[in-house]
Amino acid sequence: MSKLPRIASIALIVTAAATGHALAHAHLKTSSPAEKASVVSPGELDLTFTEELDLKFSGVKVTDPGKKDIKLGEAGLKDDGKVLTVPVSTTLAPGDYTVDWHVLSTDGHKTNGSYTFTVKP
């Protein structure tokens, strides 16, 4: 086998392995409230992921328009461990809120992210 086909074969194998590894992470699929949604004050947040989560190492932080943390209840899992649900302990005032999340999927991969939603007056 000449060098060029051998290099191409190795590159293909490495690319396929990297793609499979990236797909194994728990990615945020949907959220309620949804990203950039304008809603009344929610009673809870529901974040749906592509993989089953390890609750012990997963969590959510919500900050108000002034960047202060919002008091949240204890997180839980539902729907085969793919939905992280977090009660919102207080009524949220109108404004833009940021949701920062971090999760560990049961296969050991960590992911995190954030999104915003607006509480309408």
Side-chain angles (χ1 to χ4, degrees):
M1 187 181 252
S2 72
K3 280 188 174 182
L4 186 58
R6 188 176 316 166
I7 291 171
S9 295
I10 291 170
L12 182 62
I13 291 168
V14 169
T15 301
T19 301
H21 182 69
L23 293 175
H25 291 65
H27 298 284
L28 182 63
K29 192 169 154 182
T30 62
S31 61
S32 177
E35 182 172 11
K36 298 182 182 174
S38 183
V39 299
V40 297
S41 180
E44 72 177 23
L45 303 174
D46 291 316
L47 285 69
T48 303
F49 291 88
T50 56
E51 302 285 327
E52 187 177 345
L53 305 177
D54 183 335
L55 181 59
K56 225 169 146 181
F57 301 101
S58 301
V60 173
K61 179 175 98 169
V62 177
T63 52
D64 69 13
K67 306 296 182 213
K68 288 198 266 180
D69 289 351
I70 298 299
K71 184 174 172 149
L72 302 173
E74 191 171 327
L77 293 174
K78 61 183 181 181
D79 295 335
D80 296 327
K82 291 184 179 181
V83 178
L84 181 63
T85 183
V86 183
V88 178
S89 302
T90 61
T91 300
L92 303 180
D96 295 330
Y97 290 81
T98 301
V99 177
D100 292 302
W101 56 266
H102 65 277
V103 297
L104 178 70
S105 59
T106 55
D107 63 5
H109 294 110
K110 296 177 186 177
T111 54
N112 60 49
S114 66
Y115 70 94
T116 61
F117 68 91
T118 301
V119 173
K120 55 187 172 183

